Amino acid sequence: MRRADHQPSRRAFLDVTGAMMAAGLTAGCTPAPARQHAPTPGPVPATGRHQAGITLPRPAQAHLLAVVADLGATVAPGPVLAELGQAIRTLTAGTDPRLLGLPPGDLTVTVGVGPRLVRTAGASLPGAADLPRFSRERIAPRAHGGDLLIQICAGDPLLLPAVASALLDQAGDRVRERWRQSAHRGAQVSVGNGLTAPRNPLGFLDGIVGPQTPAEQRRDLWLTGPPAVAGGTLAVLRRMELDLPRFAALSVAEQEAVFGRRRASGVPLSGGTAAAGPDLGAKTPDGRYLVPADAHVRRAHATVVGAGLMLRRSYSIAAPAPGLLFISFQNDLRTFTATLTHMDVSDALLPFTTTTAGATFLILPGFDRRRPLGSPLFG
């Protein structure tokens, strides 16, 4: 595979992978009985109507590696995607020797294609539109857009580089990597109604509101047509640096006013439960909104924006700078663009963020042995 000049060499990759494995073995010798005897997570089916790694498993795994790449200008997407789908089936089944003996556990791999490839199949198809630019962005050219997204998730972080290496080797010199990002999520916290959510790097519970029920997912998450994309969805991927020192300097009350929720519990400042959502009309006796006008939960609220729900996930990252990797899934790109446009006006959270990478992808419908990955679109 041809890599960008700033990408690590294969030897460097193997050296890093070896160091990660050694670190994992060393950590296993420390006093952590619960971790040593923790059961291996169960497998997640790779085939079906939808790709794994979106609504399954639930909750999402703790570790993620996102790889964004380009296909060569003359490369046909169909054969590459079909080969990737076959490799995904063997990797998630644990029968691929490129796993180096690691059990796959709850490994999932989710594949999406960027607007350039979608337009080759149809200019009016969902996913054919590029992600527009927004304020508070500092995105290098190679970190904007891309032809291919490979999202790898697992409870065991050692799987991520091995799986990425296997898939990229499978694609060979037909693809060129743009950038990759490793990230992780914190422990799940109960928010009521049988739902859980992790904390983001700013200490607040994240991703509480979204299409949770099958009816909400049919309405706002999954594409229902045209037939070539039915069962897929649209993803937005953004990497953000966070001004952690400046946010940490705020009082807890000031931090809560930024989000519109209590830091400890996730409960909206209007009261109730975290899962129930905020009462945006609730006021104090003197007429002030309990959820401030510029609070994040108000500015990003679907009913205020006039858009659908997003399935949102935020992952913590340590490099290239402390921050988060944001991923949203929705069946209409306007759901994301209208929300961020509305936030751009006065969202109190945005001044603490700088976006350094961004792209949108059509997450392909599910696949199986008889219907290769991507075949309805590029077959």
Side-chain angles (χ1 to χ4, degrees):
M1 177 190 140
R2 296 178 292 115
R3 294 179 179 267
D5 293 342
H6 66 279
Q7 295 294 335
S9 67
R10 182 179 300 276
R11 178 57 182 270
F13 167 77
L14 292 174
D15 289 344
V16 170
T17 304
M20 290 178 66
M21 290 182 177
L25 291 172
T26 302
C29 297
T30 59
R35 291 180 61 89
Q36 290 173 355
H37 300 291
T40 301
V44 181
T47 57
R49 176 168 173 74
H50 311 296
Q51 287 193 67
I54 303 170
T55 57
L56 294 176
R58 186 171 181 177
Q61 307 96 314
H63 302 280
L64 171 145
L65 173 61
V67 179
V68 178
D70 287 335
L71 266 66
T74 61
V75 174
V80 176
L81 294 170
E83 289 180 30
L84 289 177
Q86 171 62 23
I88 289 167
R89 289 199 299 110
T90 61
L91 288 163
T92 55
T95 60
D96 196 313
R98 293 172 292 188
L99 279 181
L100 306 174
L102 295 170
D106 58 356
L107 170 69
T108 60
V109 181
T110 313
V111 177
V113 292
R116 184 184 75 85
L117 295 187
V118 176
R119 288 193 292 267
T120 66
S124 62
L125 286 170
D130 290 292
L131 190 67
R133 297 279 190 167
F134 296 95
S135 66
R136 298 181 178 87
E137 292 184 338
R138 192 177 68 244
I139 302 177
R142 287 200 61 78
H144 186 265
D147 287 340
L148 188 67
L149 168 66
I150 303 175
Q151 174 192 279
I152 307 166
C153 298
D156 182 356
L158 293 181
L159 286 164
L160 306 186
V163 172
S165 176
L167 293 173
L168 293 175
D169 282 348
Q170 187 74 49
D173 61 4
R174 294 171 292 180
V175 305
R176 176 183 174 90
E177 185 173 334
R178 276 177 171 261
W179 60 279
R180 64 172 60 194
Q181 184 64 59
S182 296
H184 65 276
R185 288 155 62 88
Q188 296 290 319
V189 178
S190 174
V191 295
N193 294 349
L195 302 175
T196 63
R199 296 193 184 277
N200 62 30
L202 297 175
F204 282 76
L205 294 174
D206 206 349
I208 297 173
V209 178
Q212 306 289 354
T213 68
E216 290 172 339
Q217 291 172 4
R218 286 192 298 269
R219 184 191 67 203
D220 293 326
L221 176 60
W222 302 119
L223 291 165
T224 58
V229 300
T233 186
L234 302 177
V236 172
L237 179 70
R238 281 164 70 86
R239 183 179 64 201
M240 304 177 195
E241 294 181 6
L242 295 177
D243 193 341
L244 295 176
R246 191 159 66 89
F247 188 81
L250 301 177
S251 68
V252 173
E254 289 171 326
Q255 294 176 9
E256 292 176 341
V258 167
F259 275 92
R261 291 183 180 272
R262 299 297 179 193
R263 190 176 70 181
S265 64
V267 169
L269 297 184
S270 55
T273 66
D279 178 358
L280 299 180
K283 296 182 178 181
T284 64
D286 61 357
R288 291 180 294 108
Y289 282 113
L290 291 174
V291 177
D294 62 351
H296 178 61
V297 298
R298 181 184 294 275
R299 298 302 302 176
H301 199 279
T303 58
V304 175
V305 175
L309 296 172
M310 292 181 277
L311 179 61
R312 299 175 294 114
R313 296 202 180 110
S314 294
Y315 296 81
S316 298
I317 61 175
L324 63 82
L325 187 70
F326 170 89
I327 303 175
S328 68
F329 300 98
Q330 55 274 301
N331 59 14
D332 186 344
L333 187 60
R334 181 188 171 276
T335 299
F336 174 82
T337 57
T339 300
L340 191 52
T341 298
H342 193 258
M343 290 167 56
D344 250 346
V345 176
S346 63
D347 193 305
L349 179 60
L350 288 190
F352 297 94
T353 71
T354 301
T355 299
T356 60
T360 182
F361 299 92
L362 165 65
I363 301 299
L364 296 166
F367 63 100
D368 54 35
R369 289 179 181 271
R370 291 186 294 181
R371 186 177 70 161
L373 178 66
S375 59
L377 198 62
F378 300 109

